[in-house]
């Protein structure tokens, strides 16, 4: 996660540099709030991206086991403890070894899409 924090710090610093001209050292409160909101949105987008995006990711192994990486929002809100996708995968057929993105086709059906970095 340290690399993620470095990326976020760099993006926030760049956002501040864009708003500070050569001879300007202070920002009005309204400007600071707008910059903070913009920087927070960028930071959240980067954080979601570097933690796997908005999708569930399955890593299946040759021995028939698998792991499920939940999206950041589920990890932050503890929704992963009531995850229907995990229940569905655990009750289903064995998954071929590889890495997959889970796509919901409807509220009860999920499709596994192989990712580009498939082993």
């Amino acid at each position: 996660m340290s690399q993620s924090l470095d990326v976020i710090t760099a993006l926030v610093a760049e956002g501040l540099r864009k708003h500070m001209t050569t001879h300007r050292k202070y920002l009005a409160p309204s400007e600071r709030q707008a910059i903070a909101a913009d920087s927070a949105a960028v930071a959240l987008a980067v954080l979601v991206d570097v933690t796997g995006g908005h999708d569930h990711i399955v890593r299946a192994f040759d021995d028939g086991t698998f792991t499920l990486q939940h999206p950041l929002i589920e990890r932050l809100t503890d929704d992963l403890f009531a995850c229907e996708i995990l229940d569905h995968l655990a009750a289903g057929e064995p998954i071929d070894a590889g890495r997959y993105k889970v796509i919901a086709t409807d509220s009860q059906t999920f499709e596994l899409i192989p990712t580009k970095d498939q082993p």
Side-chain angles (χ1 to χ4, degrees):
M1 196 64 134
S2 174
Q3 183 182 15
S4 304
L5 188 56
D6 291 343
V7 170
I8 292 167
T9 301
L11 287 168
V12 170
E14 181 59 27
L16 288 172
R17 271 195 290 279
K18 286 191 321 189
H19 293 280
M20 301 301 284
T21 59
T22 308
H23 300 292
R24 187 172 182 190
K25 299 200 188 277
Y26 302 101
L27 295 170
S30 62
E31 290 177 297
R32 285 185 290 214
Q33 188 164 357
I35 293 168
D38 184 52
S39 296
V42 169
L44 283 173
V46 169
L47 199 56
V48 166
D49 189 52
V50 300
T51 58
H54 295 283
D55 300 306
H56 287 79
I57 304 295
V58 175
R59 287 184 180 92
F61 304 99
D62 289 325
D63 64 1
T65 61
F66 69 89
T67 61
L68 178 63
Q69 177 180 314
H70 299 268
L72 181 63
I73 189 66
E74 280 191 16
R75 288 181 260 165
L76 294 175
T77 61
D78 286 342
D79 287 344
L80 64 118
F81 294 113
C83 181
E84 294 174 3
I85 293 174
L86 178 60
D87 295 338
H88 176 80
L89 293 173
E93 298 291 319
I95 303 167
D96 291 334
R99 188 170 187 267
Y100 304 88
K101 182 188 300 188
V102 180
I103 304 295
T105 53
D106 60 44
S107 63
Q108 298 295 320
T109 311
F110 304 97
E111 190 174 330
L112 298 179
I113 307 296
T115 60
K116 291 181 180 177
D117 59 348
Q118 187 83 347

